[in-house]
């Protein structure tokens, strides 16, 4: 009842005028801002006219945006407002905010900078907008993406509705199987931090005629960053952390996509991760040189030469996966992803963590379930079986170390169904061998069997044998 009352109050705050304004404009003969026919030869780019802001602040679009922001949750921005506080805030302040948006007077607040660890080491800077700005960005995103997405390249998979990293990996696999057995792996150096605002806004202007929307988007690009108590300017880049950033990055890199298509290349791009598949090393080296020149000259972007290469696909990684070198390549988990997995499992099963065996299994189950949901897409079940066995060995090692004394180890083995003689012999072996070696002992494997771990809630990684 409370949630329904809040929704009703929000509808009142969004206003009856918002419900009817955009449809009335169209009824008066104003052109639909997202449906103007494309100019011939313009790659079917949709254009929009004045009135796009009215579409953005329409009631249904705002309700959808608010629901999405609540689902995404996320940390507060510089004003400290939480997602839970957004609804009552909008109830009181939305009419004034809406008036500012329609007048083109709204100014976004600076983002809060946070550093998060990167999987391969180092940190990545995220810019966390206020929840109000996330809400407005989401409303803008929904309208722009509905018109722009169909114009993007079919070889682009990142941050697009109905597309996924798995689809990108599968497409790369198809290109390799078709005989394109060399990859031009291009890594853009700090792409999100180095997007040229003028170039990006020029691309936005080709698609958005409403000056208020263009001013709002530039406002998000230049809002500034709060770090160490000071607000600094943002002269370039699209801060990662806001809903609009992925769409704007796709808009920028769509220029690269169209150029690669014009040249007849076969490629797969996921955000700033682009792989071009060719038939020879020599062709790959030519493509690398020409694409690097294009990125530098046309888009003012820099290729990270240390992380980019022309190589066989099995020697490179793409979105956490690699490929076998067979005639019909199979998807496999890339070595860096395996290294991250083992590092994380080691942290969750440390003998000094101060958690019980069951607590360790519970913590592992959360991580393994999510990990399996993504990397279970591999076609190398032997990798998954090996990882499963290694995880169980880590847990047996943890249990043995926690039992500590000979008496407790003997008692624990007996409780797990081991006979008196074998329990005594295995306990005595602890004087000669450490926990890691004993974790492979047949008696300990029988006591803490695969069935025991399954009953304790430990997920499996490999699919069941046919």
């Amino acid at each position: 009842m409370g949630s329904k009352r809040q929704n009703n109050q929000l509808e009142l705050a969004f206003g009856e005028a918002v419900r009817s304004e955009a449809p009335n404009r169209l009824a008066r003969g104003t052109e639909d801002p997202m449906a103007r026919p494309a100019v011939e030869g313009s790659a079917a780019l949709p254009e929009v006219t004045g009135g796009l802001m009215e579409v953005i602040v329409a009631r249904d679009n705002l309700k959808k945006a608010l629901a999405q922001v609540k689902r995404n949750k996320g940390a507060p921005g510089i004003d400290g407002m939480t997602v839970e506080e957004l609804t009552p805030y909008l109830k009181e302040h939305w009419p004034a905010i809406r008036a500012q948006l329609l007048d083109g007077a709204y100014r976004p607040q600076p983002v809060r900078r946070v550093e998060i660890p990167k999987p391969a080491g180092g940190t990545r800077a995220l810019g966390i907008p206020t929840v109000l700005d996330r809400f407005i960005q989401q409303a803008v995103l929904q309208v722009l993406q509905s018109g722009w997405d169909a114009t993007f390249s079919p070889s682009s998979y990142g941050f697009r509705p109905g597309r996924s990293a798995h689809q990108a990996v599968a497409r790369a696999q198809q290109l390799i199987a078709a005989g394109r057995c060399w990859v031009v792996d291009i890594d853009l150096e700090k792409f999100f931090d180095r997007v040229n605002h003028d170039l990006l806004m020029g691309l936005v202007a080709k698609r958005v005629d409403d000056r208020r929307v263009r001013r709002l988007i530039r406002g998000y690009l230049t809002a500034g960053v709060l770090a160490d108590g000071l607000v600094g300017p943002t002269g370039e880049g699209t801060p990662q952390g806001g809903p609009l950033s992925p769409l704007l990055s796709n808009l920028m890199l769509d220029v690269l996509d169209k150029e690669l298509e014009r040249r007849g290349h076969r490629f797969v791009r996921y955000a700033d991760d682009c792989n071009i598949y060719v038939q020879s090393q020599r062709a790959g080296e030519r493509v690398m040189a020409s694409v690097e020149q294009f990125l530098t000259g046309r888009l003012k972007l820099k290729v990270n030469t240390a992380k980019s290469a022309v190589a066989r696909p099995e020697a490179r990684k793409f979105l956490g996966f690699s490929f076998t070198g067979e005639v019909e390549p199979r998807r496999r988990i890339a070595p860096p992803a395996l290294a991250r997995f083992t590092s994380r499992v080691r942290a969750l099963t440390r003998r000094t963590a101060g958690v019980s065996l069951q607590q360790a299994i519970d913590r592992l189950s959360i991580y393994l379930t999510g990990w399996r949901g993504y990397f279970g897409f591999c076609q190398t079940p032997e990798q998954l079986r090996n990882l499963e066995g290694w995880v169980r060995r880590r847990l047996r090692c943890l249990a043995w170390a926690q039992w500590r004394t000979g008496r407790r180890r003997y008692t624990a083995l007996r409780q797990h169904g081991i006979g008196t003689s074998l329990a005594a012999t295995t306990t005595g072996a602890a004087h000669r061998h450490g926990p890691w070696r004993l974790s492979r002992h047949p008696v300990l494997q029988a006591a803490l069997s695969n069935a025991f771990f399954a009953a304790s809630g430990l997920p499996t990684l490999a699919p069941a044998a046919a």
Side-chain angles (χ1 to χ4, degrees):
M1 288 295 291
S3 176
K4 185 174 181 180
R5 188 183 304 113
Q6 274 192 329
N7 287 339
N8 291 337
Q9 291 170 337
L10 266 180
E11 287 184 20
L12 292 175
F14 287 156
E16 185 68 28
V18 179
R19 182 185 301 115
S20 59
E21 188 164 6
N24 285 346
R25 290 179 65 88
L26 299 180
R28 293 195 299 268
T30 303
E31 191 172 21
D32 184 342
M34 298 307 293
R36 283 179 60 181
V39 178
E40 186 176 356
S42 65
L45 300 180
E47 300 178 17
V48 297
T49 62
L52 181 60
M53 186 62 81
E54 281 76 11
V55 178
I56 290 170
V57 300
R59 181 178 66 96
D60 289 344
N61 188 54
L62 295 175
K63 289 176 64 178
K64 182 180 175 183
L66 181 60
Q68 186 61 48
V69 169
K70 288 181 176 180
R71 280 193 296 270
N72 291 343
K73 299 180 180 179
I78 65 169
D79 61 357
M81 185 190 299
T82 65
V83 172
E84 291 75 20
E85 295 169 329
L86 178 59
T87 297
Y89 181 86
L90 290 175
K91 176 189 172 185
E92 181 178 354
H93 297 283
W94 176 249
I97 297 169
R98 175 180 173 275
Q100 291 179 359
L101 290 167
L102 291 174
D103 291 341
Y106 181 82
R107 294 294 177 267
Q109 296 188 65
V111 298
R112 181 171 63 88
R113 172 166 289 172
V114 296
E115 302 283 341
I116 62 169
K118 295 170 68 172
T123 60
R124 174 182 289 113
L126 286 186
I128 308 299
T130 64
V131 290
L132 173 61
D133 280 324
R134 295 209 295 270
F135 165 64
I136 297 172
Q137 282 194 44
Q138 181 65 36
V140 175
L141 169 70
Q142 290 165 181
V143 173
L144 295 185
Q145 190 167 55
S146 66
W148 292 6
D149 190 74
T151 72
F152 291 153
S153 169
S155 298
S156 166
Y157 290 86
F159 309 115
R160 297 182 59 189
R163 289 175 168 252
S164 68
H166 285 173
Q167 291 175 342
V169 173
R171 176 56 179 159
Q173 183 181 14
Q174 291 174 355
L175 293 174
I176 298 166
R180 297 180 177 273
C181 51
W182 287 86
V183 60
V184 182
D185 187 354
I186 297 175
D187 183 273
L188 295 175
E189 188 171 291
K190 297 183 178 179
F191 166 72
F192 288 93
D193 297 331
R194 293 186 172 173
V195 169
N196 184 285
H197 287 175
D198 291 335
L199 282 174
L200 179 57
M201 288 308 303
L203 296 171
V204 171
K206 291 179 180 179
R207 298 176 179 237
V208 176
D209 284 348
D210 193 322
R211 292 182 180 180
R212 298 166 298 176
V213 178
R214 296 203 304 267
R215 188 180 297 118
L216 180 63
I217 293 173
R218 184 175 281 278
Y220 281 120
L221 294 175
T222 60
V225 175
L226 177 67
D228 300 323
L230 298 174
V231 175
T234 48
E236 61 181 3
T238 59
Q240 296 184 74
L244 262 180
S245 183
L247 178 65
L248 295 177
S249 67
N250 272 334
L251 177 63
M252 188 76 164
L253 290 175
D254 187 60
V255 178
L256 171 63
D257 296 344
K258 295 299 191 290
E259 178 66 16
L260 294 178
E261 290 174 347
R262 187 187 68 80
R263 297 181 185 185
H265 291 310
R266 300 291 183 269
F267 67 97
V268 180
R269 183 177 65 79
Y270 191 96
D272 58 338
D273 198 346
C274 183
N275 280 4
I276 306 168
Y277 293 89
V278 296
Q279 294 177 317
S280 70
Q281 182 178 7
R282 186 176 179 182
E285 290 168 350
R286 288 199 305 268
V287 170
M288 175 68 82
S290 63
V291 170
E292 183 175 359
Q293 185 178 21
F294 175 82
L295 288 167
T296 303
R298 175 69 176 83
L299 296 180
K300 311 300 181 188
L301 297 172
K302 185 178 180 180
V303 173
N304 187 332
T305 54
K307 295 184 178 180
S308 302
V310 176
R312 295 285 191 180
E314 57 266 28
R316 304 296 292 177
K317 63 180 178 66
F318 183 53
L319 302 177
F321 292 92
S322 184
F323 303 95
T324 62
E326 302 159 330
V327 175
E328 290 294 329
R330 292 179 297 151
R331 301 182 296 270
R332 66 182 181 187
I333 305 167
L338 290 174
R340 290 194 296 272
F341 174 87
T342 55
S343 176
R344 182 61 176 153
V345 171
R346 282 193 178 99
L348 292 171
T349 56
R350 285 199 314 269
R351 285 176 255 171
T352 57
V355 297
S356 68
L357 178 63
Q358 186 59 54
Q359 287 173 326
I361 292 173
D362 292 342
R363 291 162 63 184
L364 266 176
S365 67
I366 297 172
Y367 173 70
L368 294 179
T369 300
W371 188 91
R372 181 184 60 188
Y374 184 76
F375 286 103
F377 187 61
C378 76
Q379 296 173 312
T380 49
E382 62 275 13
Q383 279 187 309
L384 299 177
R385 283 192 291 269
N386 289 339
L387 292 175
E388 268 189 13
W390 179 78
V391 169
R392 288 192 292 264
R393 187 179 178 189
R394 289 283 306 179
L395 290 170
R396 292 184 184 111
C397 180
L398 172 65
W400 188 256
Q402 287 182 342
W403 293 338
R404 297 179 66 85
T405 66
R407 183 182 297 276
R408 290 179 62 185
R409 286 168 175 167
Y410 176 84
T411 302
L413 290 175
R414 293 287 293 125
Q415 288 174 344
H416 283 86
I418 304 301
T420 56
S421 176
L422 284 176
T425 303
T426 307
T427 302
H431 296 293
R432 300 187 301 274
H433 307 299
W436 182 243
R437 181 166 178 177
L438 279 172
S439 64
R440 297 187 66 179
H441 196 287
V443 170
L444 194 56
Q445 290 183 353
L448 303 178
S449 64
N450 296 359
F452 165 80
F453 285 122
S456 299
L458 186 69
T460 58
L461 299 180

